[in-house]
Amino acid sequence: MHKRSAVIRFMFFHREDINWFKPIELRTKYGRRGHIKEALGTHGHMKCVFNGQLKSEDTILMNLYKRVFPKWTYEPFLLTESEHEDQKPLLDDWLEELETVIRAQENLVKPYQLRSLMQYLK
C-alpha cells in the first residue's frame, strides 16, 4: 500500500479476469473509490488506484450488477362522453353507495372534506 495505490490479491486468480473487469469501479468499506490500473503477473494480482489513502483493515469491493431502468410505456386512456354513457348507471349506483358510507362515518370526516369529496366525485 502506498499513498493512493495498492496491490490487491485474492480478488481474481487469472490475468484475463482482471482485464475483463478493468472498466468496473472499485470501492472500499471505508468509502474510497478507485479503479484497476494494471494486472501484475499471471496469478491474479493487480495494481489499483484510489481517491485517497487506504487503511490496512480496508476491504476492496466490486459491484457486479448494472442498474437498469424500465422503459416508460405510458399510454393515456381517456373516456369520451359517448363511451362514458353506458357506464353512467353503474357510476350513479356507486356514488349513492359512497354517499351513504360517507354519511354513516360523517363524524370521522370533517364537513369541508365532505364537500370537496362530493364535488370531486360529481
Side-chain angles (χ1 to χ4, degrees):
M1 261 188 329
H2 302 288
K3 287 273 185 189
R4 292 179 53 216
S5 65
V7 175
I8 310 299
R9 59 186 185 155
F10 302 127
M11 187 177 237
F12 300 107
F13 295 100
H14 301 288
R15 184 181 189 95
E16 296 83 26
D17 295 337
I18 295 171
N19 292 332
W20 178 265
F21 288 105
K22 197 171 182 179
I24 299 176
E25 182 184 42
L26 301 173
R27 67 179 185 90
T28 68
K29 286 193 174 182
Y30 284 92
R32 300 284 182 215
R33 299 205 176 265
H35 62 277
I36 299 171
K37 191 173 182 182
E38 62 181 331
L40 302 174
T42 59
H43 296 292
H45 293 197
M46 60 184 171
K47 190 183 288 185
C48 300
V49 179
F50 293 91
N51 62 352
Q53 189 168 2
L54 297 179
K55 297 181 179 181
S56 60
E57 65 269 11
D58 219 346
T59 306
I60 311 299
L61 307 169
M62 178 185 288
N63 292 328
L64 295 177
Y65 63 87
K66 181 180 178 185
R67 188 168 180 188
V68 178
F69 294 96
K71 292 187 178 181
W72 186 258
T73 58
Y74 174 72
E75 296 177 9
F77 179 74
L78 299 174
L79 283 176
T80 60
E81 191 64 35
S82 61
E83 294 172 348
H84 186 63
E85 287 300 321
D86 61 339
Q87 299 286 330
K88 190 122 174 108
L90 294 173
L91 185 62
D92 289 337
D93 293 340
W94 183 79
L95 279 175
E96 287 176 13
E97 289 178 23
L98 183 64
E99 286 176 3
T100 55
V101 168
I102 289 175
R103 287 200 177 101
Q105 297 180 350
E106 205 166 27
N107 57 346
L108 300 176
V109 180
K110 307 269 188 296
Y112 65 89
Q113 291 174 334
L114 183 63
R115 271 186 259 117
S116 63
L117 183 62
M118 295 308 290
Q119 288 173 355
Y120 176 75
L121 292 174
K122 288 188 178 186

